[in-house]
């Protein structure tokens, strides 16, 4: 993502997975974006307050449509790949596709997810104060930072991917990492590369901290067969992966 993109927090509302299901269903049906926005606006009536674009309802609609409807240009290939998997993906694995789209369209969410994953791997839990401290290093000490981090964490909790830990103010992942199939796994990997903004060694991808709620079983050979990726074998026999 460019610096202007990273300067824009964007994900500043708590989003329900049911809302994302409603959005992707309209996109799958081939509905034009303006009609989907109108549907989602009505869908949120009585759930989120307000009648203007700057109200809670309007801000929630903005986040929601950026995830699945009117995505940034660089996320269009990711959206295309995710939509191909939607019809055949159900249950917990469906949230993997939503997660991929949020990661690929909202750099702020990607960074929070990355820090949460790193902290859980390091300590077994992530404290809110540690998350905020790490986010301040990249996003600065903004007056809205703590509130927007909470929106991301509450969204993850609503999706069943974060739980309250015994340590005060701390969070842990789901009881078991959600196993996703190869196709969804490749979409998740694609989202990480998009969120990261550049290529990564394959060994850093399938177990990337931003994918902490998921068990991704993808091989470098799988990615070699997918035209969305460019995989290069390096001198030490490791593989380096970029978006094509």
């Amino acid at each position: 993502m460019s610096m202007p993109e990273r300067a824009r927090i964007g994900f500043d509302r708590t989003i329900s997975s049911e809302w994302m299901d409603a959005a992707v269903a309209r996109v799958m049906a081939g509905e034009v974006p303006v009609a989907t926005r109108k549907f989602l606006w009505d869908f949120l009536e009585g759930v989120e307050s307000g009648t203007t674009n700057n109200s809670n309802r309007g801000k929630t609609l903005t986040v929601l449509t950026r995830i699945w409807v009117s995505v940034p240009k660089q996320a269009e290939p990711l959206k295309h790949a995710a939509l191909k998997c939607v019809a055949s993906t159900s249950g917990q694995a469906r949230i993997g596709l939503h997660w991929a789209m949020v990661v690929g369209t909202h750099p702020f969410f990607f960074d929070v997810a990355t820090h949460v994953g790193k902290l859980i791997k390091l300590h077994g839990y992530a404290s809110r104060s540690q998350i905020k401290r790490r986010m301040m290093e990249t996003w600065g000490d903004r007056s809205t930072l703590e509130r927007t981090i909470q929106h991301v964490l509450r969204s993850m909790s609503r999706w069943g991917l974060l739980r309250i830990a015994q340590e005060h103010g701390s969070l842990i992942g789901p009881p078991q990492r959600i196993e996703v199939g190869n196709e969804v796994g490749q979409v998740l990997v694609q989202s990480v590369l998009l969120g990261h903004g550049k290529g990564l060694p394959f060994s850093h991808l399938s177990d990337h901290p931003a994918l902490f709620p998921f068990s991704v079983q993808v091989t470098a050979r799988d990615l070699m067969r997918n035209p969305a990726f460019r995989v290069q074998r390096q001198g030490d026999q490791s593989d380096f992966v970029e978006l094509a």
Side-chain angles (χ1 to χ4, degrees), residues 90-139:
S90 59
Q92 285 187 309
R94 172 70 72 91
I95 200 64
L97 293 174
H98 291 316
W99 185 276
M101 289 308 302
V102 180
V103 161
T105 57
H106 290 82
F108 189 84
F109 185 100
F110 171 74
D111 285 354
V112 173
T114 298
H115 291 313
V116 170
K118 285 180 177 178
L119 289 165
I120 288 175
K121 190 168 186 178
L122 188 63
H123 303 298
Y125 62 88
S127 75
R128 290 179 171 85
S129 59
Q130 288 173 315
I131 296 165
K132 181 183 177 183
R133 188 159 56 247
R134 293 189 177 200
M135 288 296 289
M136 282 173 59
E137 293 172 5
T138 308
W139 292 83

Side-chain angles (χ1 to χ4, degrees), residues 14-16 18-19 37-50 56-62 64-65:
T14 301
I15 301 297
S16 166
E18 289 80 10
W19 303 347
R37 282 184 62 88
K38 173 65 168 60
F39 168 80
L40 292 172
W41 176 259
D42 294 340
F43 185 78
L44 292 170
E45 185 175 5
V47 181
E48 293 284 282
S49 63
N56 288 340
R57 187 175 166 199
K59 290 176 181 178
T60 298
L61 180 65
T62 297
L64 199 51
T65 52

Side-chain angles (χ1 to χ4, degrees), residues 11-202:
F11 199 97
D12 57 356
R13 312 303 302 169
T14 301
I15 301 297
S16 166
S17 61
E18 289 80 10
W19 303 347
M20 294 189 290
D21 282 338
V24 74
R26 310 298 286 201
V27 176
M28 284 287 290
E31 190 172 69
V32 296
V34 66
T36 301
R37 282 184 62 88
K38 173 65 168 60
F39 168 80
L40 292 172
W41 176 259
D42 294 340
F43 185 78
L44 292 170
E45 185 175 5
V47 181
E48 293 284 282
S49 63
T51 57
T52 66
N53 290 338
N54 206 36
S55 65
N56 288 340
R57 187 175 166 199
K59 290 176 181 178
T60 298
L61 180 65
T62 297
V63 176
L64 199 51
T65 52
R66 186 178 174 88
I67 296 169
W68 273 113
V69 185
S70 303
V71 305
K73 183 178 179 180
Q74 65 269 23
E76 284 288 352
L78 175 68
K79 176 182 172 180
H80 180 71
L83 286 173
K84 290 202 309 188
C85 300
V86 170
S88 60
T89 304
S90 59
Q92 285 187 309
R94 172 70 72 91
I95 200 64
L97 293 174
H98 291 316
W99 185 276
M101 289 308 302
V102 180
V103 161
T105 57
H106 290 82
F108 189 84
F109 185 100
F110 171 74
D111 285 354
V112 173
T114 298
H115 291 313
V116 170
K118 285 180 177 178
L119 289 165
I120 288 175
K121 190 168 186 178
L122 188 63
H123 303 298
Y125 62 88
S127 75
R128 290 179 171 85
S129 59
Q130 288 173 315
I131 296 165
K132 181 183 177 183
R133 188 159 56 247
R134 293 189 177 200
M135 288 296 289
M136 282 173 59
E137 293 172 5
T138 308
W139 292 83
D141 189 10
R142 310 183 191 200
S143 60
T144 58
L145 191 70
E146 186 164 1
R147 187 176 75 248
T148 47
I149 290 172
Q150 291 309 315
H151 280 304
V152 172
L153 299 178
R154 285 194 199 107
S155 296
M156 293 179 180
S157 297
R158 279 197 183 186
W159 306 341
L161 303 179
L162 269 187
R163 298 176 292 153
I164 302 296
Q166 289 184 342
E167 293 80 3
H168 179 69
S170 297
L171 300 157
I172 54 177
Q176 285 188 311
R177 295 176 78 179
I178 297 169
E179 290 192 18
V180 295
N182 187 275
E183 286 189 335
V184 176
Q186 290 191 47
V187 173
L188 283 164
V189 166
Q190 189 173 346
S191 75
V192 166
L193 287 170
L194 190 58
H196 190 65
K198 55 186 177 181
L200 285 168
F202 174 75

